[in-house]
Amino acid sequence: NAGVTQTPKFRVLKTGQSMTLLCAQDMNHEYMYWYRQDPGMGLRLIHYSVGEGTTAKGEVPDGYNVSRLKKQNFLLGLESAAPSQTSVYFCASSAGQSYNEQFFGPGTRLTVL
Amino acid sequence: AQTVTQSQPEMSVQEAETVTLSCTYDTSDNNYYLFWYKQPPSRQMILVIRQEAYKQQNATENRFSVNFQKAAKSFSLKISDSQLGDTAMYFCAWGGAAGNKLTFGGGTRVLVKP
């Protein structure tokens, strides 16, 4: 099992460009999450999904959109990238509610110039 | 909103010694879950230990143990017999019993020195 994978691992964008980050999990998990990690701020939840076809806003959703068309995939989109979105992005999945362990992907380092 | 605070940005410890990381949280919930995650230089997040708030007994996992003080809303992590491989960022996280999201603290960087 690959667990949780993320594509790409690194990306550099110019301000105003768009991109999509792909997260895939092979554990048949219902719940998937997108976080961003910034120094001193830990991980902050951007959006999450509790099942195929569902999405919900997290703590810092502005400037991002998500889609969960297939149970195993969770896409994070940036329509018009800004320097403030320079960060490391993590995807995670879990079997259910918060007592379940979240399994994380390896992260994507995004730089917006 | 729930908040999780880790007051120690960085800590260093000699190999084979013990280090304790502090974590406090704010919640009005009676039932919830607390976690410590480790992030080594590889950036991969790994669950270290989990505590259920309704259990009084402190959780342990090999060299890792917690001191859970529910009334004080404190959840510290003790790493015993520190090893070089313990060098990492450690994040404390809170999850509500009825919810499906985690709130993370800002992290503590631990450096184990030989």
Side-chain angles (χ1 to χ4, degrees):
Chain A
N1 287 352
V4 180
T5 58
Q6 292 183 230
T7 308
K9 289 187 168 51
F10 304 93
R11 186 72 186 268
V12 178
L13 290 178
K14 294 182 179 179
T15 298
Q17 289 184 320
S18 63
M19 78 164 294
T20 300
L21 282 68
L22 171 63
C23 175
Q25 53 95 4
D26 61 2
M27 295 174 282
N28 201 34
H29 284 167
E30 289 292 336
Y31 293 58
M32 297 187 74
Y33 308 85
W34 275 108
Y35 295 93
R36 60 178 289 172
Q37 182 180 12
D38 302 292
M41 304 186 75
L43 278 76
R44 292 182 293 168
L45 184 64
I46 305 171
H47 286 282
Y48 65 101
S49 169
V50 300
E52 181 178 314
T54 75
T55 63
K57 293 180 180 180
E59 181 185 355
V60 288
D62 294 344
Y64 305 95
N65 56 75
V66 289
S67 65
R68 183 106 180 260
L69 299 180
K70 293 183 178 181
K71 184 177 183 178
Q72 63 268 33
N73 295 339
F74 195 29
L75 278 64
L76 177 70
L78 286 73
E79 290 186 348
S80 179
S84 61
Q85 294 177 304
T86 293
S87 188
V88 180
Y89 292 85
F90 286 94
C91 176
S93 72
S94 74
Q97 293 184 320
S98 58
Y99 54 81
N100 289 285
E101 177 181 357
Q102 289 192 14
F103 292 84
F104 286 80
T108 295
R109 181 174 294 279
L110 174 66
T111 301
V112 182
L113 303 176
Chain B
Q2 272 62 234
T3 58
V4 178
T5 302
Q6 294 179 247
S7 59
Q8 304 148 315
E10 290 189 12
M11 300 188 74
S12 64
V13 60
Q14 292 295 133
E15 197 174 6
E17 295 190 345
T18 296
V19 63
T20 300
L21 284 60
S22 67
C23 172
T24 58
Y25 56 93
D26 183 24
T27 183
S28 57
D29 291 8
N30 186 53
N31 198 15
Y32 47 87
Y33 301 87
L34 295 162
F35 306 82
W36 280 98
Y37 278 86
K38 170 184 177 181
Q39 186 181 46
S42 67
R43 217 166 60 189
Q44 182 66 52
M45 294 281 286
I46 304 163
L47 178 65
V48 174
I49 200 164
R50 169 173 45 201
Q51 175 78 40
E52 299 164 21
Y54 60 86
K55 289 188 177 179
Q56 292 186 339
Q57 186 172 7
N58 289 325
T60 61
E61 288 288 343
N62 300 315
R63 298 181 294 106
F64 297 88
S65 61
V66 298
N67 183 3
F68 173 48
Q69 301 290 327
K70 191 173 183 180
K73 297 180 182 176
S74 170
F75 183 59
S76 61
L77 175 70
K78 184 170 78 172
I79 307 174
S80 303
D81 186 24
S82 297
Q83 300 176 0
L84 297 178
D86 295 333
T87 291
M89 282 287 289
Y90 288 82
F91 292 97
C92 178
W94 178 98
N100 47 43
K101 298 177 287 183
L102 295 181
T103 300
F104 286 84
T108 297
R109 186 177 304 277
V110 173
L111 174 63
V112 180
K113 298 180 179 179

